[in-house]
Amino acid sequence: MASKFGLAGGIPERKVRPIWDAIDSRQFKNALKHVSTLLAKHPNSPYALALKALVLERMGKPDEALSVALNAKELLYANESLLMDDLTLSTLQIVFQRLDHLDLATGCYEHACSKFPSNLELMMGLFNCYVREYSFVKQQQTAIKMYKQYQQVGEEKERFLLWAVCSIQLQVLCGSGEDKLLFLAEGLLKKHVASHSLHEPEALMIYISILERQAKFGDALEILSGKLGSLLQIEVDKLRMQGRLLARAGDYTAAADIFNKILESCPDDWESFLHYLGCLLEDDSIWCDEVVNDPVHPPKFVNFKVSHLTDEQFDSQISIASACVQKLQADTINNLIRCPYLATIEIERRKHLRGKGNDDNLMDGIVQYFCRFGHLACFTSDVEMFVEVLTTDKKIELLEKLMKTSVSLSAPPTKTLGLSISFFKIKHLLLGDMSMSSASDLEVFCVQMFEMYCKNLPLSKDLDPQESMHGEELLSMICNILVQLFWRTKNVGYLVEAIMVLEFGLAIQRYVSQYKILLLHLYSHCGALSVAHEWYKSLDVKNILMESILHHILPQMLVSPLWTELNHLLKDYLKFMDDHFRESADLTFLAYRHRNYSKVIEFVQFKDRLQHSSQYLVARVETPILQLKQNADNIEEEEGILQNLKCGIHFLELSKEVGSKSLTFNEDLQSRPWWTPTSEKNYLLGPFEGISYYPREILTKDRETSLKRVIEKKSLLPRMIYLSIKSASASIKEHVEVNGSVTPDITSELKLLLECYAQFLGFSLTEAIEVVMGFSNGESSCVVSDSNLIDWLNFTVFLNAWSLSSHELVQPDGNGCRPRIWNILDSMLEKYILENVKSIEPQLCSPWSVMELLMQLVTEPLAWHGLVIQSCLRSCFPSGKKKKKSGSAYQSSANLAHAITDSVMHLFHVLEVVLKWITEWNKRPEDEHLENILLLLRRDGHNDGPGKVFHILETFISSVNDVELGDRISQSLKSWSPADVARKMMTGKLKVLTEFSAICGSKLKLFKSMKQQIAQL
Amino acid sequence: MTTIRRFCCNDLLRFAAVNLDHLTETFNMSFYMTYLARWPDYFHVAEGPGNRIMGYIMGKVEGQGESWHGHVTAVTVAPEYRRQQLAKKLMNLLEDISDNIDKAFFVDLFVRASNAPAIKMYEKLGYVIYRRVLRYYSGEEDGLDMRKALSRDVEKKSIIPLKRPVTPDELEYD
């Protein structure tokens, strides 16, 4: 091969290096210069051409790069074998991959391998191509060839075998391969081991997983306990594997012994204890659940199956477990090891569920755990799973015991504070919905916690500014209760007070992400979405965190007028995802090369998970819709966008894709506030229900079904908008041409899509049309609600467009009914928009959900209808020279002309009203707005309502003790002002309104110009 | 309450509570997956009751000759689980693997010069400041290269502090 003689692709290395150096330094012009010089000397060198293609691609000239790369490819195929080397091919592969032509790269390698079937280097390159294409079968075939080719016994041969085995596993797990393929993989491994053994621990792990997936636990155990087992050098990992296999094989006694051994060396290993206890009780729930549970959202509570053991056996096994735990407690010196003490409670819980438990023992276990670990921040989450089995009366009793214990314990100030916080948290947990507490009691509780926070601030005086403060959880807890009070009373002052408390906390310590998330949702609920967005940005969410954290802000932004910010969010997220999908195969190959075979499987499965992400699909659909909304006032620009979207066809395909595959939900729901456990649910929008602070188990299946429908419905929009524009245009032309006919395809396709859309509304097309027609009689009010209003109006817009070019709705008396839907649509838009305007007082403290609906009404159905009108009018003015003739087109259909004229006038008026109404908000002086917000917190002698915590807060910041608090904290407090927070809230809401006003202004301008157009006819 | 096991890809979707900490960097995807692909034994996660992610440690092993060493790229703990010596447990595990399995001479790590809490913690764990790396972080903030000698470095030559700061270009490995 050429590369063996110091030549790279037939060219001396010293001449090539400057090019690569220039590329690596991103000096592409210089690189191109070097390449040109090289090509002058080697005009037919495929490698030189490949380098040129690479440089051109990096310079942002994909078309030229592809042309040059294809030229190189042709030369490779035609020229002598001396130049067919891996370096040339790998360079071409880079180019083709970056140009999204993996197939061409693969073709090159396939051609090379057919010419040189014994060249392992080329075969590895081909294998890499198949990895990139996720062609698992071809990966297997290529790996087997390499395995057979490689004669020298050792790690390299083993590697090729494992590549083949992994490829088989991938066929079963991520492809359409049947389970019996695992038997083939097992055979390959067994044969290899018999003659060559294994050298890599990862190879052994794969071998065992192959056996385990076939339920051949005995064979796996035999291998693990044999000489191959010594490959696993991390002893605890080996023991875990062994214990799991024994348990799955049904040898619970032996498995329990193994897990006991783990506990002896790792006494704080909670999972091992659960396994140990499960084995003693012969309960295989954990291993069964591993298959069923979503690995990203594992259950919070330990599942449990009623044991089939006799009472005598059960008691005996429980005794063994208790003895083990007592021994662990006795042997453990470290005061921070929690597992043995939590284990005591778990044992009592199992006894309880068996019907043999004693509540007092369970509660005593919790009390003892509280004594030892109650000061830790994680106490409540540790014991949360255990209090579920208690009755309400027992919960109250437990609370009383904890209270007495808390008072009696003597501890340093920081621990005392920790104990108090844990007690407060467990109190919330035990008392559930808090409905038994009066509003007044809750307010007193909030004051108590706030005073405790302030009193303990000195404990954090000497902490580094970047460290967590002692007691910072108290403010989160106060916020949660204040929101609860708002939910009960609908007094907005409680929300404002909650905001003040958290802003106060962030003034002292600006890195508390929990505060920021709570504030994000509070500001969002109050309508100050721009402030919510600022807090989101302060979290510095990026890269993979976007997949799990973006849900806090994205749903609100999607229905807001903050289009610029939304565009950035969507763009950043999609770029991250698409970048990963582009490079994930290379990372998989990296794992192959480094012999970390378990990661190969893991990487492919993870990519699948992300590709089916519900959030990813939402973003893919919403991004073009955002573009359409942003440009709806200019039909030429809109059509340009639609052309880029393949006239919406691509999204119809996406709609089908969504329907056929399952979605994954990758959000971190644990970080959401109690009042909005998922993006789709906000308890504050409804009546008080006395719900628990902690979210119920989220039904993923229901979410998936619901979200699929939303995505599928949204996916129809681009195509329906496109067809509506075409239909409207065609309807005008129909009147111009004496014997003209409307393009049947447009009309029939639009009808089909209307039928699909109607189904999402829960009706057949005919029924849906009846609902729309019935609107003039007031019949639709019982069908249309706020939750589906936008969908109904969108449907009506598209229905109207279809009716313009369709003859199906023509009544026997002629064209009389054609504009009828148009009139209905105008009436609906006018009614709902103005209705919403009237229902919202121009006060900064008004409920905001209605505002969101208003904004959606203007930016979606009104926008799409505006496009239809633009399309009609544009057809009347094909060019200035034909003005006279076009005028006759408009006049030839009196009914349609009348409808258009009325429509423009009506909607112009509606927009005028909206803009005038928005102006009312800005007319009020800033001071008045500020005063109105702060007034919500002034108690003025009232005995109820918000303001009690705020009063303490104000008192505290007005008497800051510099010496006691230290410079850092006291200076932070002195620079903080409640008025600044109120101003922030006000400014945030006004910014949203300003953006909405700009959108309305743009549309008003459009309708004004259309009025002028009509006047010229 | 700490089950310490190898980090897996799905943990990337579960570690938000840890990574929202302002001192914890969320790297790009290829960074995490490269570590998983090459050094899975140096990437461990601590999991608590309720399957909660408590913290994780991410590292690698590299170098030549007497520079063969374990490296801690990141170690971080969720706020709820701090002040419980969890970082110590994670560090001990990486040190054990470096020492007993890979026979490294030392373990090192880089830390922001301004991150006083972290520096203090590492010193408690036996690390010393080996050298200062000028403008290591984004070309702005200095980094400190801290090291801890392992059993193979009997004379502890690897942790003798350098007398002058170095620049990132002078690092022979990263």
Side-chain angles (χ1 to χ4, degrees):
Chain A
M1 294 296 297
S3 58
K4 295 181 180 179
F5 302 97
L7 299 176
I11 300 172
E13 176 68 20
R14 58 187 173 81
K15 292 187 177 295
V16 173
R17 188 177 299 112
I19 299 173
W20 282 108
D21 288 344
I23 292 174
D24 290 340
S25 304
R26 301 183 64 84
Q27 299 172 7
F28 300 126
K29 288 185 177 180
N30 198 22
L32 189 60
K33 181 180 176 183
H34 283 295
V35 168
S36 298
T37 302
L38 193 65
L39 276 171
K41 194 170 182 181
H42 304 276
N44 293 319
S45 165
Y47 183 51
L49 287 169
L51 286 173
K52 180 176 182 182
L54 180 61
V55 173
L56 290 170
E57 192 279 328
R58 295 295 177 91
M59 294 176 75
K61 301 180 178 179
D63 294 336
E64 290 183 53
L66 181 59
S67 176
V68 174
L70 288 172
N71 192 12
K73 175 172 174 289
E74 288 174 4
L75 287 175
L76 269 178
Y77 279 44
N79 278 349
E80 297 300 324
S81 59
L82 186 63
L83 301 180
M84 186 74 73
D85 66 290
D86 186 62
L87 187 55
T88 301
L89 290 173
S90 64
T91 304
L92 270 180
Q93 184 186 48
I94 294 171
V95 177
F96 283 135
Q97 183 190 15
R98 292 179 70 95
L99 295 173
D100 291 326
H101 283 288
L102 273 181
D103 54 328
L104 293 175
T106 305
C108 287
Y109 269 100
E110 286 177 337
H111 178 75
C113 287
S114 68
K115 277 198 168 185
F116 304 99
S118 62
N119 188 311
L120 284 173
E121 191 170 277
L122 293 176
M123 292 177 74
M124 287 179 67
L126 180 60
F127 184 85
N128 192 7
C129 288
Y130 291 143
V131 169
R132 288 202 167 107
E133 293 183 344
Y134 294 91
S135 301
F136 306 133
V137 174
K138 291 180 178 177
Q139 284 176 44
Q140 175 194 342
Q141 294 166 347
T142 306
I144 289 292
K145 287 179 182 177
M146 288 190 283
Y147 176 74
K148 291 178 177 178
Q149 290 276 5
Y150 204 82
Q151 299 301 324
Q152 184 178 349
V153 175
E155 294 181 4
E156 199 69 9
K157 192 174 182 71
E158 176 180 301
R159 181 164 74 149
F160 295 141
L161 176 73
L162 267 296
W163 287 14
V165 170
C166 285
S167 301
I168 294 173
Q169 263 199 318
L170 287 170
Q171 291 174 52
V172 175
L173 297 174
C174 304
S176 56
E178 297 178 0
D179 285 354
K180 65 183 181 182
L181 286 174
L182 295 175
F183 184 71
L184 170 62
E186 179 193 352
L188 291 173
L189 279 163
K190 185 179 291 185
K191 184 177 179 182
H192 178 84
V193 167
S195 56
H196 306 311
S197 188
L198 291 176
H199 298 85
E200 292 287 337
E202 283 272 339
L204 176 62
M205 290 166 65
I206 291 295
Y207 192 3
I208 290 175
S209 75
I210 291 282
L211 293 170
E212 187 172 2
R213 290 186 194 280
Q214 300 178 86
K216 297 180 178 179
F217 307 118
D219 292 344
L221 282 163
E222 185 177 342
I223 291 170
L224 190 61
S225 60
K227 63 179 182 178
L228 290 180
S230 63
L231 289 172
L232 299 179
Q233 299 186 71
I234 300 180
E235 184 67 12
V236 67
D237 285 349
K238 181 180 176 183
L239 289 173
R240 284 181 185 142
M241 193 179 297
Q242 189 175 1
R244 186 179 75 248
L245 291 170
L246 285 167
R248 298 197 70 187
D251 191 350
Y252 293 113
T253 301
D257 287 342
I258 294 296
F259 289 119
N260 188 34
K261 191 179 296 185
I262 295 175
L263 288 170
E264 288 174 352
S265 62
C266 306
D268 209 28
D269 191 329
W270 176 246
E271 187 177 52
S272 290
F273 170 74
L274 292 180
H275 291 166
Y276 171 71
L277 187 59
C279 288
L280 287 180
L281 301 180
E282 299 190 10
D283 179 0
D284 61 355
S285 300
I286 286 181
W287 290 281
C288 292
D289 289 348
E290 280 183 3
V291 178
V292 175
N293 286 335
D294 179 353
V296 170
H297 300 109
K300 188 183 293 184
F301 306 116
V302 179
N303 196 10
F304 173 77
K305 188 172 72 175
V306 176
S307 176
H308 61 269
L309 301 177
T310 64
D311 283 352
E312 187 178 37
Q313 289 172 327
F314 181 85
D315 290 342
S316 173
Q317 297 298 84
I318 286 292
S319 296
I320 293 173
S322 295
C324 171
V325 168
Q326 287 170 17
K327 183 174 187 298
L328 290 177
Q329 292 178 3
D331 292 346
T332 303
I333 300 175
N334 191 332
N335 288 330
L336 293 173
I337 293 182
R338 315 195 313 276
C339 176
Y341 300 93
L342 201 68
T344 299
I345 311 175
E346 175 66 23
I347 290 172
E348 292 299 327
R349 188 181 80 100
R350 299 297 180 102
K351 290 166 68 178
H352 182 94
L353 294 172
R354 173 81 178 195
K356 300 176 67 69
N358 184 319
D359 284 344
D360 289 337
N361 288 343
L362 179 62
M363 291 192 291
D364 284 346
I366 296 175
V367 171
Q368 290 301 316
Y369 194 78
F370 179 75
C371 290
R372 188 176 283 264
F373 303 111
H375 63 285
L376 298 178
C378 58
F379 167 79
T380 304
S381 61
D382 285 349
V383 303
E384 180 180 4
M385 69 184 98
F386 300 115
V387 301
E388 292 289 316
V389 301
L390 297 177
T391 63
T392 301
D393 289 343
K394 288 297 182 181
K395 288 180 179 178
I396 294 175
E397 185 179 339
L398 174 61
L399 194 62
E400 290 171 351
K401 289 188 175 185
L402 291 174
M403 183 186 299
K404 292 178 181 177
T405 303
S406 178
V407 172
S408 65
L409 287 173
S410 61
T414 53
K415 283 197 174 182
T416 299
L417 178 61
L419 285 166
S420 297
I421 292 173
S422 292
F423 176 75
F424 291 152
K425 291 165 77 175
I426 200 74
K427 181 178 178 181
H428 287 173
L429 183 64
L430 292 174
L431 296 186
D433 61 14
M434 306 288 289
S435 60
M436 61 187 69
S437 299
S438 68
S440 179
D441 288 342
L442 292 176
E443 288 173 348
V444 170
F445 191 32
C446 286
V447 168
Q448 182 185 0
M449 286 195 286
F450 191 81
E451 287 176 336
M452 179 176 288
Y453 176 84
C454 294
K455 177 184 175 184
N456 285 278
L457 273 177
L459 295 177
S460 302
K461 178 172 67 172
D462 298 319
L463 292 179
D464 187 272
Q466 300 176 109
E467 283 187 282
S468 298
M469 304 269 292
H470 293 291
E472 68 183 26
E473 293 170 278
L474 288 165
L475 300 190
S476 301
M477 294 160 65
I478 292 169
C479 167
N480 287 332
I481 295 178
L482 289 174
V483 174
Q484 165 86 222
L485 289 169
F486 163 77
W487 192 24
R488 287 194 188 190
T489 67
K490 298 303 179 186
N491 189 324
V492 181
Y494 286 117
L495 294 184
V496 177
E497 192 168 23
I499 289 173
M500 289 291 178
V501 167
L502 295 172
E503 289 275 1
F504 165 83
L506 283 169
I508 297 172
Q509 162 55 287
R510 57 192 173 97
Y511 297 119
V512 189
S513 61
Q514 187 179 40
Y515 292 174
K516 294 177 179 179
I517 290 173
L518 289 168
L519 277 174
L520 185 162
H521 287 276
L522 286 169
Y523 278 120
S524 179
H525 184 79
C526 292
L529 188 56
S530 60
V531 183
H533 182 251
E534 289 296 320
W535 279 122
Y536 173 79
K537 288 197 297 181
S538 75
L539 290 169
D540 196 22
V541 176
K542 58 186 178 182
N543 294 322
I544 190 60
L545 276 186
M546 285 190 283
E547 179 64 4
S548 51
I549 296 294
L550 187 58
H551 64 94
H552 285 294
I553 192 72
L554 183 62
Q556 302 94 293
M557 295 291 284
L558 288 173
V559 293
S560 86
L562 302 178
W563 286 346
T564 301
E565 292 84 351
L566 172 59
N567 191 41
H568 286 309
L569 287 176
L570 291 170
K571 189 180 294 183
D572 288 347
Y573 173 66
L574 289 174
K575 180 180 188 301
F576 162 76
M577 295 291 273
D578 293 335
D579 282 352
H580 173 62
F581 295 146
R582 187 179 294 266
E583 71 184 358
S584 62
D586 291 332
L587 295 163
T588 302
F589 189 62
L590 185 67
Y592 268 122
R593 286 202 291 114
H594 285 272
R595 301 175 176 82
N596 290 308
Y597 310 112
S598 65
K599 296 302 174 182
V600 168
I601 310 296
E602 196 177 297
F603 285 9
V604 176
Q605 288 180 317
F606 190 63
K607 174 179 177 286
D608 267 358
R609 184 176 188 97
L610 291 183
Q611 278 191 320
H612 294 107
S613 159
S614 56
Q615 185 169 262
Y616 179 56
L617 291 168
V618 166
R620 287 172 66 192
V621 172
E622 293 285 0
T623 296
I625 291 175
L626 173 62
Q627 287 182 293
L628 293 173
K629 290 196 288 186
Q630 286 177 304
N631 294 276
D633 299 338
N634 187 314
I635 191 169
E636 281 78 25
E637 289 183 10
E638 192 82 342
E639 287 181 327
I641 294 171
L642 288 167
Q643 289 292 334
N644 289 335
L645 301 175
K646 299 182 182 178
C647 304
I649 292 175
H650 173 68
F651 287 92
L652 295 184
E653 295 165 357
L654 178 64
S655 182
K656 294 176 183 176
E657 177 188 325
V658 170
S660 63
K661 296 184 178 179
S662 61
L663 304 181
T664 59
F665 291 84
N666 301 324
E667 312 105 315
D668 176 38
L669 298 179
Q670 293 284 342
S671 58
R672 294 188 66 90
W674 69 263
W675 66 88
T676 172
T678 65
S679 301
E680 302 87 32
K681 184 65 180 177
N682 184 345
Y683 291 115
L684 305 185
L685 298 177
F688 177 60
E689 296 174 8
I691 191 172
S692 170
Y693 273 97
Y694 293 88
R696 299 169 180 146
E697 290 295 328
I698 305 301
L699 298 178
T700 302
K701 193 64 181 177
D702 289 348
R703 291 190 72 205
E704 181 175 4
T705 302
S706 174
L707 187 59
K708 275 189 173 184
R709 290 175 62 86
V710 170
I711 295 174
E712 288 181 79
K713 184 170 52 182
K714 286 272 188 175
S715 299
L716 300 179
L717 284 184
R719 184 65 178 169
M720 296 185 84
I721 292 169
Y722 171 80
L723 292 174
S724 294
I725 292 172
K726 293 299 181 185
S727 180
S729 177
S731 71
I732 296 295
K733 293 177 181 177
E734 183 181 55
H735 294 281
V736 175
E737 301 169 11
V738 177
N739 296 317
S741 62
V742 177
T743 306
D745 289 345
I746 292 177
T747 306
S748 60
E749 184 181 351
L750 186 49
K751 181 185 178 184
L752 285 175
L753 294 181
L754 282 167
E755 288 173 347
C756 289
Y757 206 92
Q759 286 175 7
F760 288 125
L761 295 172
F763 296 91
S764 68
L765 178 56
T766 302
E767 292 167 341
I769 292 173
E770 288 176 358
V771 170
V772 171
M773 293 296 191
F775 174 78
S776 57
N777 301 325
E779 296 174 7
S780 62
S781 60
C782 61
V783 173
V784 179
S785 65
D786 282 0
S787 64
N788 64 9
L789 174 61
I790 302 299
D791 295 332
W792 272 105
L793 285 170
N794 283 341
F795 173 79
T796 307
V797 168
F798 303 136
L799 177 66
N800 178 52
W802 174 63
S803 73
L804 296 180
S805 61
S806 168
H807 299 283
E808 292 190 31
L809 292 181
V810 174
Q811 292 180 350
D813 60 353
N815 295 338
C817 75
R818 280 199 176 187
R820 185 178 175 192
I821 296 178
W822 199 308
N823 294 332
I824 292 173
L825 174 58
D826 288 342
S827 298
M828 290 175 76
L829 287 170
E830 182 175 10
K831 173 182 185 291
Y832 287 110
I833 292 176
L834 296 187
E835 196 173 77
N836 276 288
V837 166
K838 291 176 182 176
S839 71
I840 304 174
E841 291 290 327
Q843 296 281 349
L844 285 180
C845 299
S846 302
W848 197 253
S849 58
V850 181
M851 179 69 81
E852 282 182 348
L853 185 61
L854 173 62
M855 294 177 181
Q856 271 194 283
L857 285 166
V858 172
T859 59
E860 287 195 43
L862 177 57
W864 312 146
H865 189 40
L867 285 170
V868 170
I869 297 173
Q870 289 180 74
S871 180
C872 288
L873 290 182
R874 186 180 61 175
S875 297
C876 298
F877 286 98
S879 69
K881 295 181 179 179
K882 301 182 180 179
K883 179 177 179 181
K884 185 174 182 180
K885 182 178 180 181
S886 299
S888 65
Y890 188 73
Q891 294 163 1
S892 66
S893 173
N895 287 331
L896 182 57
H898 181 70
I900 294 174
T901 303
D902 275 0
S903 184
V904 171
M905 295 298 294
H906 265 94
L907 298 178
F908 180 83
H909 169 69
V910 167
L911 288 167
E912 274 189 322
V913 171
V914 173
L915 277 170
K916 181 180 179 183
W917 169 78
I918 294 175
T919 304
E920 289 294 321
W921 292 72
N922 289 297
K923 278 186 176 179
R924 294 169 183 260
E926 177 178 305
D927 288 348
E928 183 179 338
H929 282 307
L930 290 177
E931 187 59 29
N932 285 339
I933 293 175
L934 293 173
L935 194 61
L936 295 168
L937 303 174
R938 302 298 178 190
R939 300 184 58 245
D940 294 331
H942 295 156
N943 291 324
D944 57 357
K948 292 185 175 66
V949 174
F950 183 68
H951 175 69
I952 303 296
L953 186 153
E954 278 192 312
T955 302
F956 182 76
I957 63 177
S958 65
S959 59
V960 169
N961 187 323
D962 290 2
V963 174
E964 189 177 57
L965 296 180
D967 286 345
R968 179 175 67 85
I969 296 177
S970 60
Q971 289 302 320
S972 299
L973 289 177
K974 288 178 178 177
S975 64
W976 185 79
S977 163
D980 288 339
V981 176
R983 184 173 293 107
K984 180 192 289 188
M985 184 184 298
M986 175 196 71
T987 305
K989 294 184 80 166
L990 291 180
K991 175 174 168 55
V992 175
L993 284 171
T994 299
E995 295 290 334
F996 182 48
S997 177
I999 292 170
C1000 292
S1002 176
K1003 296 192 183 304
L1004 188 71
K1005 185 178 178 182
L1006 166 68
F1007 279 90
K1008 185 175 182 180
S1009 70
M1010 289 196 288
K1011 283 176 65 181
Q1012 292 169 350
Q1013 273 186 298
I1014 294 171
Q1016 295 174 25
L1017 294 177
Chain B
M1 216 62 77
T2 312
T3 301
I4 299 181
R5 57 165 174 80
R6 298 211 313 184
F7 194 96
C8 63
C9 290
N10 284 329
D11 294 325
L12 293 169
L13 299 173
R14 302 177 59 214
F15 72 0
V18 181
N19 271 49
L20 284 176
D21 172 37
H22 67 287
L23 285 174
T24 301
E25 180 69 22
T26 300
F27 302 103
N28 61 58
M29 192 69 121
S30 64
F31 195 89
Y32 291 112
M33 294 184 75
T34 296
Y35 274 74
L36 288 170
R38 300 185 62 178
W39 306 288
D41 281 342
Y42 282 76
F43 206 158
H44 280 86
V45 61
E47 200 167 32
N51 296 294
R52 295 172 181 264
I53 299 290
M54 302 169 69
Y56 63 84
I57 187 166
M58 175 182 178
K60 57 183 174 178
V61 61
E62 61 182 358
Q64 301 291 334
E66 290 188 348
S67 292
W68 178 243
H69 70 288
H71 177 72
V72 179
T73 302
V75 57
T76 185
V77 176
E80 191 177 7
Y81 298 99
R82 289 180 184 163
R83 301 187 175 110
Q84 298 178 36
Q85 298 182 4
L86 181 55
K88 178 180 179 181
K89 293 176 183 175
L90 293 168
M91 294 286 287
N92 285 345
L93 176 59
L94 187 140
E95 291 166 7
D96 285 345
I97 294 173
S98 298
D99 197 11
N100 300 320
I101 295 179
D102 289 308
K103 311 298 181 186
F105 286 86
F106 61 93
V107 171
D108 80 342
L109 55 88
F110 289 88
V111 61
R112 289 177 181 266
S114 66
N115 194 345
I119 295 170
K120 183 178 178 183
M121 179 189 75
Y122 293 132
E123 287 177 338
K124 285 183 177 178
L125 295 176
Y127 287 77
V128 299
I129 297 176
Y130 174 68
R131 58 186 166 182
R132 175 177 286 258
V133 186
L134 300 174
R135 295 178 295 283
Y136 177 76
Y137 290 96
S138 304
E140 295 176 2
E141 187 178 0
D142 289 354
L144 300 178
D145 180 1
M146 302 185 75
R147 291 187 175 185
K148 179 177 183 179
L150 299 176
S151 61
R152 193 173 179 185
D153 182 14
V154 179
E155 299 176 5
K156 301 191 185 301
K157 292 189 294 183
S158 60
I159 64 171
I160 298 172
L162 294 188
K163 294 182 178 179
R164 65 170 181 84
V166 298
T167 61
D169 292 342
E170 293 179 86
L171 297 174
E172 64 272 17
Y173 53 82
D174 188 355

